[in-house]
Each structure stands twice: as structure tokens, then as C-alpha cells.
Amino acid sequence: MQEEKRVPIHEKIWEDTINEFKSQENQSYNSVQVAVESEYRRRVKAYMGEDVPAFTDEGEYITTHQKENRDKFLNKMRSNGRLPKTDK
């Protein structure tokens, strides 16, 4: 099984975090990465709430494409009579 790449979910918040980040002199790549990720996570929680995942590998996360595929599948199953016509 292929491991999923860790990607920020909220692109605009990520872009703002990157654009506003000021690195310090002689700061290592790893420390910059940690600082940016922690600031991004802080902003996501501040703007959207504590339960919202910041990256694709955290918690319950579904992409738009996955939701569309799931909806198509459910509609197909409903039209075949294998599922009730409405969700409860």
C-alpha cells in the first residue's frame, strides 16, 4: 500500500503562513519546516475550530473528488434498489 503524502488542506491559510513567515539567520531547514507547520496549524484551529484537521493525514478528511465518487456510488445503489431512496 502506498503511503499518502502529507498535504495542507486549507491552501489559502497555508499560502498566507508561508508568505508571512520570517526565518531567522542560520535557521535550519528542519526548524523552518516545524515553525511553519505549527503556525499553520495554529491558524487553522483559530479560524476554523479545534476539531478541524490541518493536514490530509490527520483525522477524518475527505477530498472533493472522494465525496463526488461516494455520492455517485450511493446514487447508483439507490437507483438499483439496493439502498433506500433517502438518507435517514
Side-chain angles (χ1 to χ4, degrees), residues 44-56:
V44 168
K45 291 190 183 307
Y47 299 156
M48 308 188 86
E50 289 291 322
D51 297 336
V52 177
F55 294 94
T56 54

Side-chain angles (χ1 to χ4, degrees), residues 3-4 8-9 12 14-15 23 25-26 29 38 43 49 62 64 70 72 80 82-83:
E3 188 174 319
E4 184 177 331
I9 298 171
K12 293 297 181 186
W14 178 254
E15 287 176 16
S23 65
E25 190 174 331
N26 296 328
Y29 173 79
S38 64
R43 289 181 185 204
I62 185 169
T64 305
R70 186 178 133 233
K72 286 178 189 177
N80 289 341
R82 295 183 179 181
L83 288 174

Side-chain angles (χ1 to χ4, degrees), residues 68-78 83:
E68 289 171 359
N69 285 344
R70 186 178 133 233
D71 290 343
K72 286 178 189 177
F73 173 75
L74 291 174
N75 289 334
K76 180 180 177 182
M77 296 300 281
R78 286 186 187 111
L83 288 174

Side-chain angles (χ1 to χ4, degrees), residues 8 10-19 36-37 40 55:
H10 312 283
E11 290 182 27
K12 293 297 181 186
I13 298 173
W14 178 254
E15 287 176 16
D16 287 347
T17 305
I18 296 293
N19 291 335
V36 168
E37 286 182 1
Y40 165 69
F55 294 94

